[in-house]
Amino acid sequence: MKAEYINPFVKSLVNTFGTMVNCEVHRTRLSLKDDSVPRHEISGVIGLSGKAIGTVVLSLSEQVALKSASTMLMAEYTKLDDDVIDAVGELTNMVAGAAKAELEQYDLSISLPNVITGKGHEIRFPSNVSPICVLFESQWGELSLEVGLAEAKVPAATA
Amino acid sequence: MKAEYINPFVKSLVNTFGTMVNCEVHRTRLSLKDDSVPRHEISGVIGLSGKAIGTVVLSLSEQVALKSASTMLMAEYTKLDDDVIDAVGELTNMVAGAAKAELEQYDLSISLPNVITGKGHEIRFPSNVSPICVLFESQWGELSLEVGLAEAKVPAATA
């Protein structure tokens, strides 16, 4: 995966959190994904397809998820109910949507956001894809963004 | 979501397991997803986009994942290492790929398969999407297929 793919997603995450939930986020570290990367409780996942195929994962601590949902929905949320899950999905959708617009040369389309919960969940990429993980901090806690993209090819099953 | 969306995925799963890992699977139950549906340890997830957007989730017990990988790769696998994860991703990719070909009116493209691990992980859909879950049994144990699709719309962030 080319490193320049990641920048539109980083920019999009900073903008989305700044404008949608009034939360300033700062990039702290960029790494190729490995097991030492801190994991958070809630992950929004969205698929990308087009001239490249891949996945965006927006991973939030519970506190960041609850505060984000409370701000977006103008109500106090204290547990991970359907509204909070939808808010995390919508933030993921906005991050992917804005980045896609900047990567127009890849003609990307985005799928539906899913939200993964469960302490200790892991989201694995195919071993031939090296996702890039960017860590952020905010006034509410930590979050991370992971993007893995590969060249598109015709799947064997439909060739 | 229209119920007829699900049939190409069911057929594709039965064919994929029959031809790729020589495993006969039988549908046992179809349900709208709810919390009573048994969950398995390993889930292959792939995004769909086109005239509909959505997600396919292929969820396997550890035993089904290990036996499938062992058959595909002609070696004995006893733990969920990268090879097994890749095999589950590839099975998910084949199930989605063959179903996509049958749903050509929706002009679907598929993203990269990710594999989610972790006991007790949950994969949530947006609350306005009602995924359909189909349960299967096989000689190796249980598996399930979950498909959620929604009408495509232009994401707000790129409008």
Side-chain angles (χ1 to χ4, degrees):
Chain A
M1 178 178 152
K2 293 177 193 159
E4 66 260 32
Y5 280 124
I6 195 76
N7 292 327
F9 291 95
V10 170
K11 184 176 152 195
S12 170
L13 184 147
V14 171
N15 285 345
T16 298
F17 274 76
T19 57
M20 293 304 297
V21 296
N22 196 24
C23 176
E24 208 174 296
V25 302
H26 300 280
R27 198 170 106 171
T28 52
R29 194 154 67 86
L30 183 145
S31 66
L32 289 181
K33 180 70 173 295
D34 65 42
D35 287 336
S36 70
V37 170
R39 301 188 167 278
H40 304 301
E41 292 88 345
I42 303 124
S43 301
V45 176
I46 200 160
L48 305 168
S49 53
K51 291 179 186 160
I53 57 174
T55 311
V56 181
V57 180
L58 173 64
S59 190
L60 308 179
S61 68
E62 185 168 333
Q63 175 76 354
V64 174
L66 293 172
K67 291 285 189 185
S68 297
S70 298
T71 307
M72 281 172 84
L73 304 169
M74 291 183 288
E76 181 75 11
Y77 287 90
T78 56
K79 62 185 182 63
L80 295 179
D81 65 10
D82 284 352
D83 286 348
V84 177
I85 297 295
D86 277 351
V88 172
E90 189 51 28
L91 285 170
T92 310
N93 195 46
M94 287 186 277
V95 170
K100 157 190 129 101
E102 286 220 5
L103 289 164
E104 59 183 350
Q105 69 274 33
Y106 298 106
D107 198 17
L108 296 174
S109 59
I110 61 180
S111 72
L112 212 58
N114 287 91
V115 175
I116 320 289
T117 58
K119 279 210 158 96
H121 72 262
E122 279 196 68
I123 301 174
R124 313 274 292 259
F125 283 75
S127 59
N128 62 342
V129 173
S130 297
I132 292 179
C133 184
V134 189
L135 308 184
F136 297 86
E137 59 180 19
S138 75
Q139 71 257 38
W140 297 327
E142 293 184 341
L143 52 158
S144 68
L145 176 72
E146 197 178 339
V147 181
L149 277 175
E151 294 293 311
K153 56 178 182 180
V154 178
T158 60
Chain B
M1 179 179 152
K2 293 178 194 159
E4 66 260 33
Y5 280 120
I6 195 75
N7 291 329
F9 292 95
V10 170
K11 185 175 151 194
S12 170
L13 184 145
V14 171
N15 286 344
T16 298
F17 274 76
T19 57
M20 294 304 298
V21 295
N22 196 24
C23 176
E24 208 174 297
V25 301
H26 300 280
R27 199 169 105 171
T28 53
R29 194 156 65 86
L30 183 145
S31 67
L32 290 179
K33 180 69 174 292
D34 65 40
D35 286 337
S36 70
V37 170
R39 302 188 165 278
H40 304 300
E41 292 88 345
I42 303 124
S43 300
V45 176
I46 200 160
L48 304 168
S49 54
K51 290 178 186 160
I53 55 174
T55 310
V56 181
V57 180
L58 173 65
S59 190
L60 308 179
S61 69
E62 184 168 332
Q63 176 76 353
V64 175
L66 293 173
K67 291 286 190 185
S68 298
S70 298
T71 308
M72 282 173 83
L73 304 169
M74 291 183 289
E76 181 76 11
Y77 287 90
T78 56
K79 62 186 182 65
L80 296 178
D81 65 9
D82 284 353
D83 286 347
V84 178
I85 296 294
D86 277 351
V88 172
E90 189 51 29
L91 285 169
T92 310
N93 195 47
M94 287 186 276
V95 171
K100 156 190 128 103
E102 286 221 4
L103 289 164
E104 58 182 352
Q105 69 273 34
Y106 298 106
D107 198 16
L108 296 174
S109 59
I110 62 181
S111 71
L112 212 57
N114 287 91
V115 176
I116 320 288
T117 58
K119 277 212 159 94
H121 73 261
E122 279 196 68
I123 301 174
R124 314 274 292 260
F125 283 75
S127 59
N128 61 343
V129 173
S130 297
I132 292 180
C133 184
V134 188
L135 308 185
F136 298 85
E137 58 180 19
S138 76
Q139 71 257 37
W140 297 327
E142 294 186 338
L143 51 157
S144 68
L145 176 71
E146 198 178 338
V147 181
L149 277 175
E151 295 292 311
K153 56 178 183 184
V154 178
T158 61

